[in-house]
Amino acid sequence: MAFQCQRDCYLQEFDTSVVSCCAAELKQEVNGKKETVKGFNVKLQDTILFPEGGGQPDDHGLIGDVPVLRVTRQGPDAVHFVTSPLEVSKDVHVKVDWERRFDHMQQHSGQHVITALADSMFGFKTTSWELGRQRGTIELDTPCVKPAQLQALEEVVNEKIRAHVPVTVQLLSIDDPGVEKVRSRGLPEDHAGPIRIIDIEGIDANMCCGTHVSNLSHLQVIKLLGTEKGKKNKTNLIFLVGNRVLKYAEKSYSTERSLVSLLKTGPDEHVEAVDKLQKSGKLLQKTNLSLLRDMAILIAQNFKNNPQRGNFFTLHKKEGDNEFMNIIANELTTEETLVFLTVGEEKGPGLFLLAGPSGQVAEMGPRVLEMLQGKGAGKNGRFQGKVNSLARRGEVEALLQQNCKHHTSEEK
């Protein structure tokens, strides 16, 4: 059957009745974590809330004052997931989240136009598409799309929008000869009812279950942002339609004004200014690394020149890396001296290096790793790794000093 949302895509409110309501669970992702929500699956006599399908996400909305979190299709029925039970046979008022719905209508109809014209103009077949939260993607069966082709395609799709081309819906029986004449990637296995055809006059006729605009002028504008390399020698075409173009322009202008303030240059000089900053940053980083290496050598030499030096050397530095620590260890006579070095935040994550007599390092390395909550390994008198917290660094120093005294007394 065709739902009311498919018969009239512009209908925003609708009265119907509850056919069934049964306990159910919904698995969804919240802030990157998967959660299971307990609730109810509700079937209505008819619905204006579109169940996801044909590459189009589902609608959101209300049944009475109960939010609908998901709408899916099961054969001829639309199943609405809600968190509160609804009384069977009760009359209910359904309201669609119109901003979300109209956005989906614009993107989906826009995709049909782009797909049809990419095929008729250049022979690029669409193999799949995705209606993302921020932008849409069409997978084209071609290894590349030239910039001139992209520009020509964008110009023509917007000409069709300005021409006010009508979009109509036809419902055909599955054995109707007209079904064979339309573009289609096949029907789902559980399809039920008539075949729905979206006809964009003079441009495309396509089998589709989604919600669409009634005239291409309602798309407002289409922007082809560019292409990316796809899978299996295909190309992904990135696009925006209608209100998404306006939001993109608003966001881009806001970003532009922020960059003007930060870079102290006009928009046309932003790329050049950022390039200069990157080159300057790399030069400073190179200079800083050189200074750190020189500092590491001086620190080691200062320890070696100290007549009162013992057999244990320790140092913590906020700035540094593995190379900095290894330079110090290499400069010291590590077969005589136990060296414990750390870099990073004093009580936060960081790096460590334990170097010295092979026996001591092999004995103490795992204990250091455990105390600093880290991961690492060692061999040949070196043990190093990453740690989650340097908060117990003082305790590690005391343990290593005690170990050095123990080994000194044994040698005597």
Side-chain angles (χ1 to χ4, degrees):
M1 65 173 288
F3 303 115
Q4 185 63 36
C5 58
Q6 296 170 312
R7 293 193 295 272
D8 183 355
C9 299
Y10 288 82
L11 192 61
Q12 299 179 40
E13 299 187 32
F14 181 64
D15 291 318
T16 184
S17 59
V18 178
V19 172
S20 67
C21 178
C22 58
E25 291 183 347
L26 173 67
K27 292 181 179 179
Q28 58 180 184
E29 194 170 297
V30 180
N31 298 324
K33 294 182 179 180
K34 292 184 178 179
E35 295 183 357
T36 299
V37 180
K38 292 186 180 297
F40 302 86
N41 279 339
V42 173
K43 293 181 182 179
L44 303 175
Q45 190 70 37
D46 201 347
T47 186
I48 57 167
L49 301 183
F50 177 74
E52 61 181 340
Q56 180 176 323
D58 58 342
D59 282 338
H60 290 171
L62 297 170
I63 300 177
D65 57 359
V66 179
V68 177
L69 304 184
R70 181 71 56 82
V71 189
T72 55
R73 187 179 63 83
Q74 292 181 2
D77 299 315
V79 179
H80 311 70
F81 182 87
V82 296
T83 54
S84 301
L86 295 172
E87 183 182 338
V88 175
S89 299
K90 182 180 179 180
D91 292 335
V92 290
H93 185 72
V94 183
K95 188 174 181 179
V96 69
D97 178 342
W98 178 245
E99 183 179 356
R100 176 182 170 91
R101 156 68 73 76
F102 189 61
D103 172 58
H104 291 173
M105 289 165 62
Q106 286 188 318
Q107 308 315 309
H108 202 162
S109 296
Q111 177 266 317
H112 277 222
V113 177
I114 297 167
T115 286
L117 292 173
D119 186 8
S120 63
M121 291 174 67
F122 306 111
F124 299 154
K125 304 291 184 183
T126 291
T127 50
S128 68
W129 85 289
E130 180 185 5
L131 201 169
R133 291 183 179 180
Q134 295 183 329
R135 57 191 62 180
T137 305
I138 298 173
E139 184 185 69
L140 297 174
D141 193 10
T142 178
C144 70
V145 177
K146 296 176 182 178
Q149 292 173 321
L150 194 70
Q151 182 179 351
L153 180 59
E154 182 177 278
E155 288 175 357
V156 173
V157 296
N158 282 291
E159 283 175 7
K160 300 300 181 184
I161 291 172
R162 292 191 292 272
H164 289 236
V165 176
V167 180
T168 56
V169 177
Q170 300 178 49
L171 296 177
L172 305 179
S173 62
I174 198 164
D175 56 353
D176 191 303
V179 173
E180 301 297 324
K181 300 177 183 179
V182 301
R183 183 168 56 85
S184 170
R185 294 206 302 270
L187 291 168
E189 292 182 1
D190 62 346
H191 173 81
I195 306 296
R196 189 165 176 267
I197 310 298
I198 305 301
D199 191 337
I200 305 174
E201 189 177 283
I203 298 174
D204 185 46
N206 182 27
M207 198 181 295
C208 182
C209 66
T211 55
H212 290 271
V213 297
S214 59
N215 192 289
L216 291 191
S217 63
H218 297 182
L219 301 183
Q220 300 168 282
V221 65
I222 290 178
K223 179 61 188 172
L224 305 183
L225 293 177
T227 60
E228 296 174 353
K229 187 177 180 180
K231 299 177 182 178
K232 298 180 180 179
N233 213 30
K234 296 178 182 179
T235 298
N236 293 330
L237 174 62
I238 316 300
F239 70 97
L240 301 173
V241 184
N243 290 333
R244 291 195 182 192
V245 179
L246 301 180
K247 290 178 181 178
Y248 185 83
E250 182 181 356
K251 185 177 180 180
S252 297
Y253 182 71
S254 177
T255 301
E256 181 183 284
R257 300 315 301 164
S258 296
L259 287 172
V260 167
S261 178
L262 289 169
L263 299 173
K264 310 301 181 186
T265 63
D268 293 340
E269 289 82 41
H270 284 171
V271 173
E272 183 182 352
V274 171
D275 183 55
K276 286 181 179 178
L277 281 173
Q278 286 184 328
K279 289 177 180 177
S280 177
K282 288 178 181 178
L283 181 61
L284 287 171
Q285 187 179 33
K286 187 176 180 180
T287 302
N288 186 48
L289 287 173
S290 179
L291 289 172
L292 278 173
R293 292 189 191 103
D294 293 343
M295 184 186 298
I297 294 170
L298 288 172
I299 288 170
Q301 289 177 346
N302 185 54
F303 176 76
K304 288 166 67 176
N305 294 333
N306 182 2
Q308 303 298 320
R309 72 177 185 272
N311 60 350
F312 178 62
F313 176 81
T314 181
L315 175 75
H316 172 76
K317 190 165 182 60
K318 184 178 179 181
E319 302 84 7
D321 56 12
N322 279 318
E323 184 180 4
F324 172 76
M325 295 189 294
N326 276 294
I327 289 173
I328 295 177
N330 290 337
E331 290 293 318
L332 296 174
T333 310
T334 52
E335 283 304 315
E336 299 174 2
T337 307
L338 185 65
V339 179
F340 175 55
L341 306 169
T342 55
V343 294
E345 297 293 336
E346 289 189 10
K347 294 185 179 181
L351 305 171
F352 85 93
L353 170 65
L354 184 66
S358 298
Q360 276 184 273
V361 171
E363 175 192 354
M364 302 305 297
R367 295 186 66 181
V368 172
L369 203 62
E370 182 182 356
M371 293 176 71
L372 298 182
Q373 305 171 29
K375 292 183 179 180
K379 63 179 180 178
N380 302 326
R382 294 283 173 100
F383 200 107
Q384 61 190 97
K386 294 181 178 180
V387 298
N388 293 325
S389 173
L390 290 169
R392 297 182 66 188
R393 187 182 186 284
E395 295 177 47
V396 174
E397 281 189 12
L399 177 67
L400 294 174
Q401 283 179 324
Q402 186 66 33
N403 184 264
C404 285
K405 289 179 182 178
H406 175 69
H407 277 270
T408 301
S409 63
E410 281 186 345
E411 291 172 1
K412 292 180 178 179

